[in-house]
Amino acid sequence: MTGQLLKLKNQIDADTEATQYSLKIEVVDAGPAPAQTTTLTVAVYVTGIDDNVPVWEAPNSGTYSTSISENSGVGTLVQLISATDADLAGTFDADITYSIEDTTSVFGIEPKTGRIYLAKGELDRETLDSYIISVSAFSSNQEAAKILGTVTVAVLDTNDNKPTFSQSSYQVTVPENTGVNLGILTVTAQDPDLGTNGQISYSITSTAVPFPAASDSDAGDDGSIVYSLMTHTDTFAIKSSTHELFPIHPLDREAQATYEVVILAVDQASVASKTGTGTMTITVDDVNEYPPDCSISAEVVASPPFTIGLDVYMVICTDQDSPGPHGNIVYTINAGNTNTDFRIEQDGRVVFNKLPSDVNYQLTIIASDSAVVPLSTTIFLNVLLQSDPVFTNMPGTALIDESSPLGSSVFDVLGSTASGFKSFSIVSGNTENKFKINSYTGNVFIYSALDREVTASYTLGIRITDINLSKTADNAITVTVVDNNDNPPTFGSTFYETSIAENIGVGTLIQDLAATDIDSAGPNSAMSYSIASGNAESKFEIDTSGQLKLSATLDAETTKIYMLTVVATDAGTPPLTGTTIVLLQVTNVNEYQTEFLTTGGAYSHTLAENTALGTLIFTVTAQDLDVGSAITYAITVGNDNSFTVDRQSGNIYLTKLLDRETTPSYSLTITASNGQGDVTNAVLALTITDVNDNDPVFSQNVYTGQVIENYPIGGSVTRVTCTDTDSGVNKDLTLSIVAGNTGNAFRITSDVIEVNSVLDYEATNKYVILIESKDNGSPRRSSTATVDIDITPVYAQPRFASNTQSITIAENTQIGTSVFDSDATISGALENKDLSYAITAGNSDGKFAVNEYTGQLSVIGNLDRDTTASYDITITSVNMQQNTLRDFVTVTVTLSDINDNKPIFSVSKYSFTIPEDSPINSVVGTLTASDKDTGTNSAISFSIISGEFSSDFIIDSSTAVLKVNSVLNAPLRSSYALIVQAVDGGTPSLASTVEVDIIITDINDNSPIFSPTTVIVKVNEMLNISSALYSVHATDADAGANARLTYSILSGNGDLRFSVDPNNGKVLLRNLLDREAVGLYSLIIIAVDAGSPAKTGSLTLCIEVMDANDNSPYFIGEPYSITLGRASPVGTYLTTITGNDTDIMDNAVIEYFIAGGDVTNTFFLNKDSGRVSTVTSLVSSPDTYSLVIHAIDKGVPKKTSTTTLSVKIDPPYSPTSSDFSYSIDENVAIDTSVGTVIPDPIHNPGTTIEYTIISGNFNNNFNIGANNGVVKVARAIDHEERINYFLTVQIQDTVNTGLVYNKNVNVKVNDLNDNTPTFQSSTITFTAVVENSPVGLTIGQVPATDADSDLNGQVTYEIDPSDTAALTALSITSSGHLTLSISPDYESSPRIAFIVYAKDQGTPSLTGSVNVVIDVVDVYDNPRSTSANGQSPFYSLECPTTAKNGDVIVKVKVADFGFTIGPSDSVRYSLIGGTTLFNVGSTSGDLYVKDRSKLFDGTRYFFSMAVRIQTSGNNVTATSALFRVDTMTPTEHMVVLTHSISKATVESQK
């Protein structure tokens, strides 16, 4: 039979339907029924085919957009693409393959995952910022049926490019006066990155740039090279917005000519920004801004010989401008060069051009630079030409009698001077002011009385002075004072008093009465002696040397006093005498000893203890047979103030109550003295007898006793004790029962109480009896005590069979279990009737109880054998009727053990310490544990169960001995923490653990180390004691004590100036420092560890003591004294004050000041050199000055010393009196008569008298008729030259030539108005008057002077009355100060020119004039900002008097004036008002001290300042401000600083 074909009926999709079928086929035959059948199973497998094309997954659907950073590495994921296939998943038909269609090496794709990745790290956004990749996907092998897609990749920017400047370096040249904030160059840099990565900011920085290496062939330090980069961030800045470089401080080519500036261009990336650098070289061009810097005044004194070309002075100037025309200096003599006697060379040397024609030159020298518009400085040079004066007669010695009258001539000194004008003075040796010298004639005369005995000779230093040339010469003359007998002999005292014993021998020296005579050796001082009175008995004599001696024996009983008058006479003519009184007292001689009238000097006496106070108890008697002896007594030993003795009588009295019981006897030492040093002693033994003054005393007030009722008669009950502190019968006591002895039950025998009759408890169970004790004294004294006696009954005795019993019970016995029956009935006592039971011992924890009536012992508490293994229970049975009848049994209860306790270590934690060099198996320590159980329950096994590096140790399991198991190393591991377990042998076993700490001690194998080993510290020498200077610190690599360091000073501290804290290393000051004594200390400080043996490290601590201003200046060459001629010219040199200061640096820099005494402001003291000179004429000066001069150092605080310079002006300006006074007008004709000098009427009639002017005739302006005394004018007289003349006219009689005397003539010159007021110059210009300045502003002064006096010299000012414009704009004060009447307006009057007149008050009045020009500064009349109140600002400032030239007081800002400025605006500051003390920086606004010599304490200075702002459009804005500056002394003012921090906070953080 042929089978049928199995056919597919419907389409099958293997991807969505079943892929396997099991078909059951039934085959039926066609035979007669029943038909035969059979079945067949057919398995059908469906194989899929790739009938589906892949599809891109949503949402991208084959179009992707992504981004990647340009700095991504190879392999970085770019995009994951994905497609799906409808074929059966997991089959080959559904397997998709991905690929990139483009030919590219930048990206790759994983075929099976679709992962697109970066194949090459070559992305650069700046080159290509995006990629479009064509991708495809196909299933199985159907590549022809692939689908396409695109992936767009944007390359993201990273900061991979640094900014780059358009050029690597820049060069620019700028003038040094370039304005601050004015741009000088714009730089540009580029960065191709995007966003902030490409945004650039600019700055000047210190970033290092590459530079070539340098070399130096020198060796050592000379060959070391240090590199540094100057960035000048303090001079320049750059505007980041405009890239413009500009100066932020003024440039100064003289300070620095070139600048190398490194500019940074930094991108603004948020992370890892990049930087580009550019270098700019800035060259500063010079501007002629500095005039020559010179010393503006000098004085030189030249001495002959003078030759043409001889150097006189060197002018030294410097110019801060650069070399070249601006810095080259040219010198010229501008004025004062009389007859062109001098010339100046181009190197600054002033030399003689001709031989001199004068002696004083005031040269004005101009030093100018060579610029097109030169700057110059004026130097004033005072040249003085001198020659020395000479003496013509100076003997070595002159004699003068000491009795010579005042005014007597000693010697006439003669001499000559180059100018012919001379004066004489005594400059030394005249400290007592005994002599004077006529300054004109040279006559030395006695000014004060001489006394040869005070000073025998004087060596006078004589000085001759050339008045005009201020030249001096010195010489000396010795004046010897001749003696005159003007001093009588003088005794050492006018009264002598002495005592002599009556038994001295004849010839004994009594008193040395030698006198002295201070006249010179010879007859005037040779002396003889005599006794003028009081020696009637001829007992005494005196020899030629003045020694008083005994010439006959004395007897005190006959004559006790002698009064002698002794006279000393010298041998002078006439002789002079001296007298003294001698009082002699003759004293008696002590011939007998003082003695007591008793044998052996001993007394004894008995005294009752109740003797009354004040009782005479005994009398001692002593005697001395010498005449007039008076004996006194005293108790010197053994007295406790109970006794006193009458000093004269020897009676001894009782002064304190006696008590025999305290002190039974006394031993008194009695001293007898005769008042002349003779002393003897006696002893009085006093025995104190007893009186019955003490009661008997029982040992206690109440006694107790107990006795049983059947106690036998005579039995002792108790004993009583009684005592009495008296003695003898007074302390014999008798005891008796006086009360309470009912039935006479007791008796007392001696001191024992006994039973006296049968006792019965039931009748009397207690007795209270009273015992009395009486002594046998008279009268008898007594006391009582009470005795309490208890009677006890008789009962049955409890009795146990044995007093010890033992039982054993389990430690877990149940509570309530009866464990023992105690029985005390052995002696017949009955339970429940007679007996009671109680536990009386051994049950402190209350584990057991006993039945009170039956004695059954029961358990009532949980037992624990481990706590208590056994109990000794004492059970006591007591007769309930008589509790004294009792017995006891001790029951030992032993508990059997169960394992209920775990092992317990003996301590909660073990600590062991071992050295790191312990060998293996060395014992660390032994642990101990116990188990309260017994037997195997308490057998313990030990082991180490944990702990880091626990294997370094082992423990014996049975002995618990812990040992080292490996090599130890303390530096690596200094400690261990082990856990050790103890396990008992019970079932089940119990365990405990314990911590074991093991400390590994270090071996001392490292020394302490200081780093660095040398330290230099600087400390102020004023550091307080105990202040810390420095803290030294050393380290030690060891541990523990080996690293514990102690510090000490090894050397360099010999004066114990310092100490070091041994623990913390703090170096302290122990004694005050003094840099002037020791300026540097070098301490060797050591650190010693605590190891054994100890190791040491050292440090050298150099302590440099910084100077503090602790020393005041001192003067060299004191005292200072000088004499000046009154005609000395202005500028005359006096002396140089020289000081020194032992401090250093500023502390030793001394400035000198005249602090007082210069009442006429005549002198100038150079503060730096100490040179003193005159600044005004001396013609009208006082005769003397006492200048108080301060030397002040520059330390902080300043220290001052003071000296005095004495200045004498000669001749005197105001003689003490004038004999004749005349006055004349100045400018009178020559030969005009002034007046006539009239002689005294002492001349003989007809004699001829000669008149001579010998002094005071300056410039020989007067002459006198030689024979008529008429004074006339000889030369033109000028009041302005000299107001008064004091002429000394000598009158001499030509016949009686010894008749010579002087007359004083005062000539006063009257002033005439012959001088016109004069101004400093013909034209005065003010150039800094700002438009719109406020009304009332002072713009300056136009001072005029008039040489006349009084009204003739008083000047008033006025503006030209015909100039209405000037009168409207200005007003002028009486002092010549010009002030604004209206606010100036540049547009209407850019310049104001007018005339100011100065008119004196003389008759007729004289007038001077000056042209005044005021240039008004134009301002921009619409300023951008003004002050809030429209008023000019006002500054009130302070300046210390110690300020130096150049010190800045305040920095003025434009904003203070109410203005704001733009970056290109220029600002100029200037002062108006004529002040020369202060100045202002024209561009900086720094107000500073210009001339500190004009800075005076406690003074206020007012002036104005103008500020001028010019914009880039040449608009000018200006205004002014008023300034007030008050001076103050810094050390007298306190600065208070406040802050918000509390005092507590400050204290806690000190």
Side-chain angles (χ1 to χ4, degrees), residues 825-844:
T825 62
I826 299 301
S827 296
L830 300 176
E831 290 181 345
N832 294 318
K833 177 182 178 183
D834 296 328
L835 303 178
S836 68
Y837 296 91
I839 298 175
T840 56
N843 192 33
S844 59

Side-chain angles (χ1 to χ4, degrees), residues 52 66 156 233 245 362 396 444 446 646 693 909 1289 1324 1477:
N52 293 287
T66 188
L156 299 181
T233 56
L245 187 74
Q362 301 287 337
V444 179
I446 298 175
D646 186 283
D693 56 348
K909 181 179 181 180
V1289 176
I1324 298 176
L1477 172 56

Side-chain angles (χ1 to χ4, degrees), residues 46 66 80 153 321 347 375 433 512 619 631 752 1029 1043 1123 1160 1237 1379 1480:
V46 181
T66 188
L80 184 64
V153 180
D321 289 311
D347 59 0
L375 300 176
N433 205 26
D512 187 351
T619 300
I631 297 176
V752 178
L1029 288 76
T1123 299
T1160 56
V1237 178
T1379 59
V1480 66

Side-chain angles (χ1 to χ4, degrees), residues 1095-1257:
K1095 291 185 177 292
T1096 302
S1098 67
L1099 163 78
T1100 300
L1101 178 62
C1102 297
I1103 302 172
E1104 183 178 346
V1105 183
M1106 305 304 293
D1107 188 48
N1109 195 25
D1110 56 343
N1111 293 285
S1112 298
Y1114 61 90
F1115 293 94
I1116 300 173
E1118 288 184 298
Y1120 296 103
S1121 178
I1122 192 70
T1123 299
L1124 292 178
R1126 191 168 294 279
S1128 299
V1130 174
T1132 296
Y1133 167 75
L1134 281 75
T1135 188
T1136 297
I1137 305 298
T1138 303
N1140 198 7
D1141 194 313
T1142 56
D1143 292 317
I1144 60 174
M1145 303 179 69
D1146 280 353
N1147 296 334
V1149 177
I1150 302 174
E1151 293 184 331
Y1152 304 91
F1153 302 93
I1154 297 176
D1158 189 6
V1159 295
T1160 56
N1161 295 324
T1162 298
F1163 302 96
F1164 170 72
L1165 172 59
N1166 187 294
K1167 69 180 180 64
D1168 299 316
S1169 66
R1171 188 177 188 276
V1172 185
S1173 58
T1174 61
V1175 294
T1176 64
S1177 172
L1178 301 176
V1179 170
S1180 302
S1181 294
D1183 296 340
T1184 60
Y1185 293 86
S1186 183
L1187 303 182
V1188 178
I1189 294 176
H1190 285 176
I1192 306 175
D1193 62 30
K1194 290 189 175 182
V1196 177
K1198 296 180 181 296
K1199 288 189 175 290
T1200 304
S1201 294
T1202 303
T1203 191
T1204 301
L1205 171 59
S1206 299
V1207 182
K1208 177 181 178 184
I1209 310 301
D1210 207 10
Y1213 177 73
S1214 303
T1216 55
S1217 62
S1218 296
D1219 299 302
F1220 302 96
S1221 296
Y1222 304 107
S1223 64
I1224 60 171
D1225 292 336
E1226 64 175 329
N1227 301 330
V1228 297
I1230 295 175
D1231 285 334
T1232 297
S1233 176
V1234 177
T1236 302
V1237 178
I1238 307 300
D1240 293 339
I1242 57 176
H1243 299 272
N1244 293 326
T1247 189
T1248 301
I1249 299 173
E1250 291 184 351
Y1251 301 87
T1252 308
I1253 300 175
I1254 61 174
S1255 69
N1257 192 11

Side-chain angles (χ1 to χ4, degrees), residues 17 35 225 319 331 369 407 449-450 593 624 820 842 845 912 946 1022 1107 1216 1338 1347 1446 1532 1548:
E17 300 177 54
I225 300 174
D319 195 310
Y331 301 96
D369 59 30
L450 301 177
Q593 294 293 320
D624 190 317
F820 183 75
D845 53 358
F912 299 108
S946 68
M1022 299 303 289
D1107 188 48
T1216 55
T1338 299
E1532 297 177 357
S1548 68

